[in-house]
Amino acid sequence: MAQDDKQLIQEVTQSEYKYGFVTNIETETAIKGLTEDTIRFISLKKAEPEWLLEYRLKAFAKWKEMKQPNWAQLKIPEIDFQEIIYYAAPKRKKELESLDQVDPELLDTFNKLGISLDEQKRLSGVAVDAVIDSVSVKTTFTETLSKHGIIFCSFSEAVKNHPDLVKKYLGMAVPPSDNFFAALNTAVFSDGSFCFIPKGVRSPMELSTYFRINAANTGQFERTLIIADEGSYVSYMEGCTAPQRDENQLHAAVVEIIAMKDAEVKYSTVQNWYPGDKNGRGGIFNFVTKRGICKGDHSKISWTQVETGSAITWKYPSCILSGDNSIGEFYSVAVTNNHQQADTGSKMIHLGKNTKSTIISKGISAGQSQNSYRGLVKMTKRATNSRNFSQCDSLLLGDKCGAHTFPYIEGANKSSIIEHEATTSKISEDQLFYCQQRGINQESAVGLIVNGYAKEVLNKLPMEFAVEAQKLLSISLEGSVG
Amino acid sequence: MLLQVKNLHVSINGKEILKGVNLEVNKGEVHAIMGPNGTGKSTLAAVIAGKSGYEITQGEILYNGKNLLDMPPEVRAQEGIFLGFQYPVEIPGVSMTNFMRTALNEIRKYHGQEPMSAKDFLARMTEKKDLVELTSKLTNRSVNEGFSGGEKKKNEIFQMAMLDPQLAILDETDSGLDIDALRIVAHGVNKLKTTENATVVITHYQRLLDYIVPDFVHVLFEGKVVLSGGKELALELEEKGYDWIKKETENH
């Protein structure tokens, strides 16, 4: 390996996290540790109905019997679940009527992220439900949306104002006992987003939520529930950046999507939690359960994710293709650098006839990181004439990182077709030199080549997200000036 | 003087490839470097452009009086050196348009200029594309991806036209070209010639020099420039073959 290449890799390895800043907002936190009392405290704080408390307690009982999964290609340090604070909410002095009343520091945080609510409102027409440490601070555009009958609010508000909908759909895609982290989330989730698109309505704007971990030592347990009724359409964006922290923070979110007949949901994520420093200290542990059910015929759920952050990512956005002719899609770019570990992919469970699924996964590994694709494509007996196409590409920067692919395929009928393609490549010195010879420095060249490699997925993102994602890919691999 | 190569010795993995090359190029000149395969023509081009993996054991290269060997490759490019590659690489997913805009703006930034506006950039694209008869279909594609051999070479000249270098080194640009493509490429190069820039054409055959007429011809043989002369030297070479050079050098 040439000297330049080595140097490039070394410097890529030393790039620092750009979004490391902390907002000083007073927070009200529950005491550390997880017992039934913790759950009662959370439920009480949120003035929840009895059924939801029961639901949480049942999940907690299940969780206690479960073991943390260890099948992923991840080295997970032992997590002491009793050392975690399970609830933190910014102290609210009074009800907020306009942005002027929002804590200026909070607005400043958004400005640093380049997502000021004001700007977003004016320029892009995006309704933002900003979640900082578990409690929704501000919901915008509610009026415009409500004209169309769209409900887009914090999960707590949904529990208060639409208890029937919540009760009906909560746990439909991800039951409390689904897995260790989903059970934990169900027991202690603090807040999140709720979205309901009524029959035949096409959401007039992209719905967006910014999640952000802010209080030290606070696990963040977000809960998102999206329901698209018959013939409706919504594009939903979730994005996150987290302030720099020295201690590991646990994040175990659950996202559920239910698509009824002829409905379509597009869910896009840009994930940029603090990945830890270059020595692998700190960083977020991200254990996420995301699943959608294409419940009705001709329904469609599409997951697009750009994963650049977190020390550990454990995440498999999946589709259960229950309705006939339903479609599931998964487009992913996962970048790991330094000592980051990612084990991510998708599950496509074909239950209905003539169902179709597509998986496009692009892994990029640098530094000493480990990047795995893990996916399951399952064709049940009833899912006749169904199709899947999977493509899993890995790009390596340097020789200290790893890329792994674990595709699982189960076919129980003869009329279905499953296709799987996989490639592993390296950024070649010739490509870098070609760019440099045209006047482009190594750092920009790496950004250019990586963005080109991930283009197929980035093209699936909504415009405003795509721009941010491109920047993120370059930032994540920054520090390569030779 | 634009380029001055002085007593250049270059090794790859301990094996000496260039054994004391001297070359001087002034503005407004076209030079041809000829010689049989494996005599170090491409090595010379790569070392001037700053490709890694070469060990410079002796000598120096001055460019506009500055020490070229101290500059990273992108700075050499920003200073106005362009290398037309013998084997242009493919960069999947990166459109030619995006690639050229990035390159052009990096060079402009180096010279303290603002990025070129989208309108001006596109106008420039259209103008330069026509010069080498590249279709929009090709420039909309990823860099060199799915290009034929001839298209890749035309694309190199297109990039040269876009970036407007002071010194262009064309490494075996004629290899793999049919006569029509050769004519187009040569036409492009001739059109770009001014009194302020210079071109170094590296070629194995005399054929290209029918279209790009050099002011000077140098014969590189076993790591050294063994003969220099005017354009008639190329014809003499064509006639007598490289064996003649071999004999000539053996006699000395």
Side-chain angles (χ1 to χ4, degrees):
Chain A
M1 175 172 279
Q3 195 55 38
D4 275 13
D5 214 1
K6 266 189 193 146
Q7 195 177 356
L8 164 73
I9 285 145
Q10 197 189 357
E11 289 181 23
V12 156
T13 305
Q14 286 164 0
S15 80
E16 296 281 341
Y17 185 70
K18 275 268 165 90
Y19 294 144
F21 45 84
V22 175
T23 314
N24 291 318
I25 295 170
E26 281 183 79
T27 54
E28 182 186 25
T29 49
I31 36 168
K32 272 186 200 168
L34 183 52
T35 62
E36 279 203 7
D37 286 343
T38 316
I39 292 161
R40 286 179 199 282
F41 172 83
I42 294 168
S43 195
L44 184 71
K45 268 279 164 203
K46 304 189 83 62
E48 284 177 355
E50 188 64 21
W51 69 263
L52 193 49
L53 175 61
E54 287 304 316
Y55 189 75
R56 287 174 179 277
L57 290 173
K58 260 188 212 160
F60 180 59
K62 288 255 172 61
W63 178 76
K64 282 196 288 189
E65 293 163 13
M66 296 168 110
K67 278 213 173 84
Q68 195 176 320
N70 61 0
W71 40 258
Q73 181 81 7
L74 299 170
K75 278 185 198 140
I76 305 168
E78 203 175 326
I79 301 166
D80 188 343
F81 291 94
Q82 299 305 331
E83 276 297 310
I84 291 167
I85 298 166
Y86 286 89
Y87 181 81
K91 270 184 196 165
R92 268 206 265 185
K93 281 156 193 143
K94 58 181 178 201
E95 285 293 309
L96 301 169
E97 281 158 18
S98 75
L99 277 180
D100 305 340
Q101 293 172 295
V102 175
D103 189 323
E105 268 204 61
L106 187 61
L107 291 178
D108 195 41
T109 303
F110 282 120
N111 284 329
K112 279 184 197 163
L113 291 168
I115 53 141
S116 100
L117 290 173
D118 258 324
E119 280 243 304
Q120 292 242 359
K121 276 206 287 189
R122 251 185 320 115
L123 298 175
S124 51
V126 174
V128 176
D129 176 23
V131 177
I132 282 225
D133 273 75
S134 318
V135 165
S136 297
V137 178
K138 187 81 192 162
T139 305
T140 49
F141 277 99
T142 318
E143 266 181 48
T144 320
L145 292 173
S146 66
K147 253 185 241 160
H148 290 83
I150 295 170
I151 305 166
F152 180 44
C153 59
S154 73
F155 201 91
S156 321
E157 281 170 322
V159 169
K160 257 182 225 138
N161 303 329
H162 311 281
D164 294 346
L165 282 175
V166 175
K167 200 172 176 180
K168 185 174 172 192
Y169 292 106
L170 182 67
M172 188 178 266
V174 182
S177 57
D178 186 79
N179 68 67
F180 182 81
F181 293 107
L184 179 65
N185 174 287
T186 307
V188 300
F189 72 83
S190 38
D191 211 333
S193 296
F194 178 85
C195 176
F196 179 83
I197 317 291
K199 251 183 214 178
V201 170
R202 217 185 141 79
S203 176
M205 57 183 79
E206 315 255 1
L207 303 184
S208 163
T209 306
Y210 265 87
F211 295 103
R212 191 163 163 82
I213 295 178
N214 204 41
N217 272 327
T218 308
Q220 181 119 6
F221 301 92
E222 296 291 341
R223 189 85 193 192
T224 301
L225 181 54
I226 299 168
I227 303 137
D229 209 342
E230 285 183 20
S232 67
Y233 167 83
V234 67
S235 167
Y236 190 96
M237 309 194 289
E238 172 212 313
C240 15
T241 54
Q244 190 156 348
R245 288 287 174 203
D246 226 359
E247 286 162 77
N248 289 309
Q249 291 180 301
L250 178 65
H251 182 74
V254 170
V255 176
E256 295 181 274
I257 299 175
I258 291 117
M260 311 304 273
K261 189 168 172 283
D262 298 318
E264 181 179 348
V265 178
K266 227 182 124 167
Y267 192 103
S268 311
T269 309
V270 170
Q271 188 266 115
N272 186 27
W273 300 116
Y274 177 51
D277 67 14
K278 62 187 176 195
N279 299 315
R281 268 183 314 135
I284 304 294
F285 293 178
N286 196 21
F287 298 94
V288 187
T289 307
K290 287 183 169 174
R291 194 175 302 145
I293 304 183
C294 285
K295 209 167 155 50
D297 295 351
H298 300 279
S299 57
K300 179 176 174 183
I301 292 176
S302 185
W303 300 99
T304 305
Q305 61 174 26
V306 175
E307 305 278 321
T308 60
S310 297
I312 295 174
T313 300
W314 180 97
K315 183 177 178 186
Y316 316 92
S318 303
C319 296
I320 297 173
L321 303 170
S322 177
D324 291 347
N325 301 296
S326 60
I327 297 170
E329 293 175 337
F330 174 73
Y331 301 101
S332 170
V333 177
V335 180
T336 53
N337 194 359
N338 299 316
H339 291 266
Q340 277 178 280
Q341 307 175 67
D343 193 298
T344 184
S346 182
K347 286 192 271 187
M348 293 292 173
I349 315 291
H350 293 251
L351 301 176
K353 294 185 185 72
N354 310 317
T355 46
K356 260 192 243 161
S357 65
T358 306
I359 293 174
I360 308 285
S361 164
K362 303 266 181 182
I364 300 159
S365 332
Q368 281 125 296
S369 68
Q370 296 294 326
N371 200 328
S372 303
Y373 166 81
R374 185 182 304 277
L376 168 69
V377 176
K378 184 175 179 165
M379 302 283 182
T380 58
K381 216 170 183 177
R382 208 179 73 79
T384 49
N385 297 309
S386 294
R387 276 184 155 261
N388 161 266
F389 175 74
S390 300
Q391 187 187 323
C392 305
D393 298 330
S394 307
L395 186 68
L396 299 166
L397 278 92
D399 53 6
K400 293 193 183 82
C401 52
H404 317 272
T405 307
F406 304 98
Y408 300 89
I409 290 169
E410 293 174 25
N413 75 69
K414 281 180 184 159
S415 58
S416 292
I417 299 168
I418 301 174
E419 281 178 88
H420 181 91
E421 286 178 11
T423 65
T424 302
S425 52
K426 279 186 136 185
I427 290 188
S428 75
E429 273 183 59
D430 286 344
Q431 284 174 327
L432 282 177
F433 179 63
Y434 194 77
C435 294
Q436 284 178 286
Q437 212 303 303
R438 299 300 184 245
I440 302 166
N441 66 39
Q442 270 193 335
E443 192 179 290
S444 306
V446 169
L448 199 67
I449 295 167
V450 164
N451 272 299
Y453 164 80
K455 195 182 188 179
E456 217 179 331
V457 174
L458 298 178
N459 280 348
K460 298 286 175 186
L461 289 171
M463 183 65 102
E464 52 270 64
F465 244 27
V467 173
E468 189 180 341
Q470 277 178 15
K471 277 192 215 147
L472 263 185
L473 288 192
S474 297
I475 287 172
S476 306
L477 298 166
E478 206 171 60
S480 55
V481 178
Chain B
M1 192 172 299
L2 190 57
L3 180 77
Q4 201 172 8
V5 180
K6 290 186 196 167
N7 189 31
L8 187 69
H9 288 252
V10 175
S11 301
I12 306 174
N13 298 325
K15 193 188 169 214
E16 191 165 54
I17 307 291
L18 297 184
K19 301 166 183 172
V21 171
N22 292 292
L23 182 69
E24 291 184 355
V25 178
N26 291 297
K27 284 179 186 171
E29 294 175 351
V30 176
H31 290 245
I33 296 177
M34 302 186 72
N37 286 326
T39 52
K41 298 190 300 291
S42 290
T43 298
L44 179 62
V47 168
I48 293 171
K51 193 173 199 292
S52 63
Y54 298 89
E55 196 192 340
I56 290 115
T57 53
Q58 256 192 79
E60 61 177 342
I61 306 177
L62 298 178
Y63 179 73
N64 282 325
K66 291 182 219 169
N67 184 358
L68 196 67
L69 297 174
D70 280 351
M71 301 176 196
E74 65 270 23
V75 173
R76 299 182 197 199
Q78 290 157 354
E79 284 279 347
I81 293 178
F82 178 91
L83 174 63
F85 284 75
Q86 186 176 2
Y87 304 108
V89 291
E90 300 182 358
I91 308 177
V94 179
S95 71
M96 265 318 294
T97 309
N98 188 18
F99 183 64
M100 272 296 99
R101 204 182 47 209
T102 308
L104 191 67
N105 286 336
E106 290 277 330
I107 292 171
R108 290 175 69 90
K109 196 165 94 187
Y110 179 79
H111 294 285
Q113 294 167 303
E114 292 289 306
M116 190 178 269
S117 75
K119 190 173 156 252
D120 289 351
F121 176 78
L122 289 174
R124 192 183 176 92
M125 284 274 287
T126 310
E127 182 200 331
K128 305 302 181 188
K129 231 163 41 191
D130 292 346
L131 182 72
V132 287
E133 301 177 26
L134 263 189
T135 61
S136 299
K137 217 170 79 188
L138 287 176
T139 47
N140 288 338
R141 273 199 215 152
S142 298
V143 178
N144 292 319
E145 205 178 37
F147 284 43
S148 71
E151 285 164 349
K152 279 183 186 173
K153 295 299 171 71
K154 282 193 214 170
N155 193 26
E156 292 295 292
I157 306 305
F158 162 69
Q159 293 177 55
M160 174 182 160
M162 286 298 290
L163 302 179
D164 191 21
Q166 205 173 21
L167 174 67
I169 302 163
L170 306 178
D171 188 8
E172 305 268 359
T173 298
D174 52 336
S175 68
L177 287 188
D178 60 35
I179 199 74
D180 290 332
L182 187 70
R183 205 172 284 147
I184 291 166
V185 162
H187 172 73
V189 173
N190 290 332
K191 273 275 186 187
L192 294 171
K193 191 186 160 184
T194 70
T195 52
E196 284 303 301
N197 63 25
T199 310
V200 176
V201 179
I202 292 174
T203 183
H204 185 71
Y205 303 104
Q206 199 270 334
R207 194 177 63 151
L208 178 66
L209 305 181
D210 287 341
Y211 300 97
I212 302 173
V213 181
D215 302 304
F216 301 94
V217 175
H218 312 275
V219 180
L220 193 62
F221 183 69
E222 290 182 345
K224 276 185 174 173
V225 176
V226 293
L227 261 181
S228 289
K231 62 184 176 205
E232 62 288 343
L233 179 57
L235 294 167
E236 202 174 350
L237 263 180
E238 179 82 353
E239 198 185 308
K240 299 183 179 171
Y242 286 116
D243 281 346
W244 167 63
I245 296 291
K246 253 181 229 174
K247 280 179 198 141
E248 285 280 303
T249 45
E250 275 160 15
N251 290 341
H252 283 99

